[in-house]
């Protein structure tokens, strides 16, 4: 089984999020593919237990696992509102998931996000929706973490942004000779967080209570 962390693809451009989709989601073709997959596994796709499996799988992938493709990160975050305050804003423990493009299995975990306002404040729910728009795609955890931080800078007009993602990678957990409890932690810092050790340390202290032991 190849290592999910050995990414030989070039990093996406600043305007790209995750693995770019070349066309629209084809629901009918997806359901046919799932039926063919079941048949290839020696299972009766039309049987009493799996008659609706292709539809159920398609709905899960289209609406949830890959739902971020139908969300524009800028629109998800919105414009916020003008405010002169510049104090750090931290959201801890945002549920997040993505899909590993190497094995087509999900990874899931928590995202901890912070930004230093640059003249605008943003609703907390909007920030969580931004995380969904970026995470619910074919992507790597490393890319997702960086994309979240850069989106807060680009779309949120922040002076600085930080993101830490702690996730369980199913492709790793299913590997041979694994204990089954491995977690991957990725960090990204932009703007003032990148240049200020004090800002990074304040953020990391703020999220310390939400990190899994």
């Amino acid at each position: 089984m190849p290592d999910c962390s050995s990414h030989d693809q070039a990093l996406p451009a600043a305007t790209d999020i995750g693995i770019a989709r070349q066309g629209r989601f084809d629901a009918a073709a997806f359901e046919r593919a799932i039926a063919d997959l079941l048949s290839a596994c020696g299972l009766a796709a039309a049987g009493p237990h799996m008659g609706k499996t292709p539809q159920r799988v398609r709905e899960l992938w289209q609406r949830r696992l890959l739902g971020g493709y139908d969300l524009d990160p800028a629109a998800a975050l919105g414009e916020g509102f003008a405010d002169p305050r510049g104090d750090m804003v931290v959201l801890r423990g945002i549920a997040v998931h993505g899909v590993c493009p190497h094995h087509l299995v999900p990874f899931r975990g928590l995202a901890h996000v912070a930004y230093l306002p640059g003249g605008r404040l943003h609703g907390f729910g909007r920030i969580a929706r931004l995380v969904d728009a970026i995470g619910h795609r074919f992507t790597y955890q490393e890319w997702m973490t960086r994309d979240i931080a850069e989106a807060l800078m680009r779309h949120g007009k922040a002076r600085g942004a930080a993101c830490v993602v702690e996730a369980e990678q199913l492709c790793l957990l299913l590997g041979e000779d694994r204990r089954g409890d491995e977690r991957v932690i990725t960090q990204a810092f932009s703007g003032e967080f990148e240049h200020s050790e004090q800002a990074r340390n304040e953020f990391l202290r703020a999220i310390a209570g939400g990190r899994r032991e």
Side-chain angles (χ1 to χ4, degrees):
M1 177 179 292
D3 184 354
C4 286
S5 64
S6 57
H7 311 148
D8 53 5
Q9 295 89 337
L11 287 175
T15 55
D16 294 334
I17 300 294
I19 304 296
R21 190 162 70 177
Q22 303 303 313
R24 297 182 61 83
F25 190 97
D26 189 330
F30 190 99
E31 291 190 19
R32 289 195 300 270
I34 295 300
D36 288 342
L37 174 63
L38 294 174
S39 178
C41 292
L43 301 170
H49 300 291
M50 293 186 168
K52 293 187 177 181
T53 295
Q55 176 186 341
R56 293 189 182 105
V57 175
R58 188 267 300 169
E59 290 175 349
L60 175 67
W61 279 74
Q62 183 177 12
R63 297 177 184 177
R64 295 296 298 158
L65 291 179
L66 301 181
Y69 283 109
D70 297 319
L71 297 174
D72 174 43
L77 182 62
E79 295 184 359
F81 58 92
D83 193 284
R85 296 167 181 80
D87 301 317
M88 185 186 304
V89 178
V90 180
L91 273 74
R92 192 175 73 183
I94 302 171
V96 67
H97 65 256
V99 180
C100 168
H102 290 173
H103 301 93
L104 307 188
V105 293
F107 58 91
R108 62 178 294 275
L110 298 176
H112 309 296
V113 178
Y115 74 101
L116 296 170
R120 306 198 69 79
L121 293 179
H122 300 275
F124 304 140
R126 286 283 193 166
I127 295 174
R129 189 162 175 79
L130 169 71
V131 171
D132 289 345
I134 291 173
H136 296 181
R137 302 168 184 246
F138 285 112
T139 189
Y140 302 111
Q141 182 177 334
E142 300 95 322
W143 287 11
M144 175 199 297
T145 308
R146 170 57 57 184
D147 287 340
I148 291 170
E150 292 186 349
L152 284 167
M153 295 287 293
R154 186 162 54 249
H155 306 308
K157 311 302 181 185
R159 301 180 351 256
C163 181
V164 170
V165 175
E166 179 178 0
E168 297 172 329
Q169 298 273 346
L170 189 56
C171 56
L172 175 63
L173 301 184
L174 295 177
E176 296 180 2
D177 301 322
R178 301 295 185 183
R179 297 186 312 163
D181 59 356
E182 293 87 354
R183 302 186 185 100
V184 178
I185 299 174
T186 49
Q187 303 179 2
F189 302 101
S190 292
E192 291 188 18
F193 279 103
E194 186 176 5
H195 306 295
S196 172
E197 183 178 357
Q198 178 181 351
R200 292 195 301 273
N201 288 340
E202 288 180 3
F203 166 62
L204 295 173
R205 283 196 299 269
I207 68 172
R211 295 278 292 276
R212 297 177 181 178
E213 298 298 332

